[in-house]
Amino acid sequence: MVLRVETTIPLVKNDGPHDGTDQFTATLNSLGKNAIICVSSGNEGDFNMSVTRTLTENETEIKTFILPATEYNVSTISGPIDIWASDNQPFTVTLSTYRIIDGATTSVVTASTSGSTAFTAKGGLKSGRGTLTMGVNALNKRFNGRIALSQALEPLSSGYRVMISVKGKPGQKINMYYAGYGHFSAASTEGFIDGTPDESINSNSIGENLISVGSYTTRKYFGHLNSNYAYALSGGTPGDISEFSSYGTAPDGSVLPHILAPGATIISSFNRYYVEGVYGTYYGQSPSAMTGSAVNGSDTDYWGAMDGTSMAAPCVSGIVALWLEADPTLTVSDIKKIMPETSRSDSWTAARPETSLYGKIDAAAGLRYILQQNASIGSINEDAENLMVIEAVADGYEVTFGNETGFLLNLVDLQGRNVASTVADGATARISTADLLPGIYLMNIQGDRAKATRKIAIR
């Protein structure tokens, strides 16, 4: 017997090879053969934290600045810089300071062969230290250069910038990632290039047996317990792709994440020790900033607004769990076949096709698809009550009865009178309630192989 396990992985890694070969991702991918694993796509979709370039005869060097994310009140360079070649051929990495007034540069550290080189602040740096490590990765046989910082890089003044140069061979494809709060930028300087969010995808989510999940916005505003005002976290328009939702490409060139789910301004539970402690106050998430609370014995539980693909991934996990109730034999390959057949596309997904492969997940459509597919091959053998999907539509209800390829659908009032009926030519039917008075009704479904009854309320 194979136990189907369905889980969510919210851990985000913006550096790494982005090809599924690192040990953690490879382990997840292996576990995904016997489990459904949903992984957050990352929250760096609004950071220009990636550079991708294929070197040519006329362009064998990449030059860019690393600018701190001042919009987040960040003034230093603190995250690792990870550089990967498409092959095992070495390249040269140079970390320098750049004096804006005259373009003068001072090398802080440079390397072109395998090994590690420690460095400390010099030139236009006020502080900073770290290590530049170069070499061919044993798992994917690609040449890699990585700058790991043990102390953040801080320029002497606003007159200096931190720059990075990568020199390689024509034909080499270079991928560079900055896994900190900041951007690769040309800063309007000739010979330098801008970064983009185009490969901001979480490296941990790249695997054949993994489901990568991005975010779209379903609400913008929320309230505080001690305020009559409405607040917003990331802004955005309900329906649009969340501006923070990371995206990129898989090794085969396909778009990631696979699917989008609600992940912006989600009201979720908070750890009471965090909310009532110094960090809750420091990050503006104290008890008064929460949206809801409830007394729990001598303690208080809290709920507040959160943004992130770590909110969207559990949503997909819950939906997949629902699908597994309808068909416990589903594999990750099956899920990836259901999603493109049932996900929703609209003007927002059409405007940004690079942000998801399949569009927005549709729980009900996926469930109907599973029931209909299984009914067509006669594979359903469950309690008929569990095979019904009832979805409210504009003028009534749409009902899917997965155990049948045709059925009679009746609505009966509490006096036992038949008030509406329809016949399904297939596993799905619509019934109108537009002419019915508000009240409680029984929905009766009678098929050739099963029957079921549900109580509904019309308001």
Side-chain angles (χ1 to χ4, degrees):
M1 175 182 176
V2 177
L3 177 63
R4 307 303 303 171
V5 179
E6 195 277 329
T7 188
T8 300
I9 304 295
L11 300 176
V12 175
K13 182 179 175 65
N14 297 114
D15 52 345
H18 287 70
D19 59 11
T21 60
D22 63 278
Q23 190 171 20
F24 183 79
T25 306
T27 301
L28 280 184
N29 196 45
S30 179
L31 293 171
K33 295 176 181 178
N34 295 303
I36 311 296
I37 302 177
C38 301
V39 187
S40 307
S41 72
N43 303 321
E44 284 69 41
D46 53 350
F47 282 87
N48 294 326
M49 48 76 64
S50 68
V51 168
T52 301
R53 269 289 199 279
T54 299
L55 302 179
T56 67
E57 293 287 349
N58 297 323
E59 184 186 60
T60 57
E61 182 180 14
I62 299 169
K63 292 192 297 183
T64 187
F65 297 112
I66 310 172
L67 303 183
T70 54
E71 65 270 33
Y72 289 93
N73 296 318
V74 176
S75 59
T76 60
I77 308 300
S78 58
I81 300 110
D82 212 12
I83 307 157
W84 293 84
S86 55
D87 54 26
N88 63 0
Q89 296 303 300
F91 48 71
T92 300
V93 174
T94 303
L95 180 73
S96 307
T97 58
Y98 178 94
R99 191 164 59 193
I100 297 173
I101 192 170
D102 58 4
T105 62
T106 301
S107 174
V108 177
V109 64
T110 186
S112 58
T113 57
S114 297
S116 294
T117 305
F119 63 89
T120 57
K122 64 174 66 174
L125 285 179
K126 178 181 180 182
S127 60
R129 66 170 58 93
T131 303
L132 170 58
T133 302
M134 306 279 280
V136 176
N137 183 275
L139 297 175
N140 61 15
K141 311 304 180 186
R142 295 167 60 191
F143 198 82
N144 173 232
R146 180 179 176 85
I147 298 174
L149 301 175
S150 55
Q151 182 185 34
L153 305 180
E154 182 178 2
L156 285 171
S157 68
S158 59
Y160 291 89
R161 299 190 186 115
V162 176
M163 67 168 281
I164 190 163
S165 161
V166 180
K167 294 180 181 179
K169 297 176 177 62
Q172 267 188 318
K173 182 179 180 180
I174 302 295
N175 288 96
M176 184 159 52
Y177 311 98
Y178 175 52
Y181 280 94
H183 310 272
F184 290 125
S185 174
S188 301
T189 304
E190 186 177 354
F192 287 71
I193 63 173
D194 287 315
T196 74
D198 291 350
E199 295 297 336
S200 58
I201 188 73
N202 175 13
S203 187
N204 291 338
S205 72
I206 302 175
E208 180 183 0
N209 301 314
L210 304 176
I211 297 174
S212 180
V213 182
S215 169
Y216 73 95
T217 302
T218 51
R219 68 184 295 170
K220 181 175 181 178
Y221 298 106
F222 62 96
H224 283 176
L225 284 173
N226 295 349
S227 174
N228 293 323
Y229 294 98
Y231 298 84
L233 288 176
S234 60
T237 302
D240 203 354
I241 315 301
S242 301
E243 60 185 17
F244 57 78
S245 186
S246 291
Y247 57 95
T249 52
D252 64 2
S254 60
V255 172
L256 289 175
H258 296 102
I259 201 75
L260 300 169
T265 318
I266 302 297
I267 306 303
S268 180
S269 57
F270 271 68
N271 184 303
R272 73 169 69 96
Y273 301 106
Y274 168 83
V275 173
E276 295 174 350
V278 294
Y279 287 107
T281 300
Y282 181 79
Y283 288 107
Q285 294 172 326
S286 63
S288 63
M290 293 292 102
T291 298
S293 66
V295 175
N296 182 6
S298 60
D299 298 315
T300 301
D301 297 326
Y302 299 96
W303 291 262
M306 292 188 186
D307 272 354
T309 56
S310 293
M311 296 285 100
C315 178
V316 173
S317 293
I319 290 170
V320 171
L322 179 67
W323 292 353
L324 286 169
E325 284 192 54
D327 185 351
T329 69
L330 293 174
T331 65
V332 65
S333 179
D334 296 324
I335 298 299
K336 288 183 179 180
K337 292 176 183 176
I338 294 167
M339 284 179 170
E341 295 292 334
T342 62
S343 63
R344 291 182 286 111
S345 297
D346 53 29
S347 59
W348 286 290
T349 58
R352 299 189 64 194
E354 73 279 6
T355 59
S356 70
L357 183 60
Y358 302 137
K360 300 174 180 177
I361 195 166
D362 190 322
L367 190 56
R368 284 196 301 270
Y369 179 87
I370 294 165
L371 297 179
Q372 291 169 356
Q373 289 294 109
N374 286 351
S376 68
I377 59 175
S379 63
I380 290 180
N381 186 24
E382 299 287 344
D383 179 6
E385 290 287 340
N386 294 330
L387 303 177
M388 297 173 59
V389 180
I390 302 175
E391 186 176 9
V393 293
D395 61 347
Y397 292 89
E398 183 170 280
V399 180
T400 299
F401 197 37
N403 207 34
E404 303 288 342
T405 56
F407 58 88
L408 175 65
L409 174 61
N410 291 319
L411 291 182
V412 179
D413 65 17
L414 295 184
Q415 285 72 46
R417 295 173 298 189
N418 187 64
V419 294
S421 63
T422 188
V423 176
D425 182 18
T428 300
R430 282 199 178 201
I431 190 164
S432 175
T433 59
D435 298 328
L436 301 184
L437 296 173
I440 303 298
Y441 296 84
L442 295 178
M443 178 180 288
N444 296 323
I445 301 177
Q446 178 66 60
D448 293 332
R449 292 176 288 175
K451 62 181 179 180
T453 299
R454 289 281 179 87
K455 185 184 293 183
I456 64 171
I458 298 176
R459 293 180 173 84

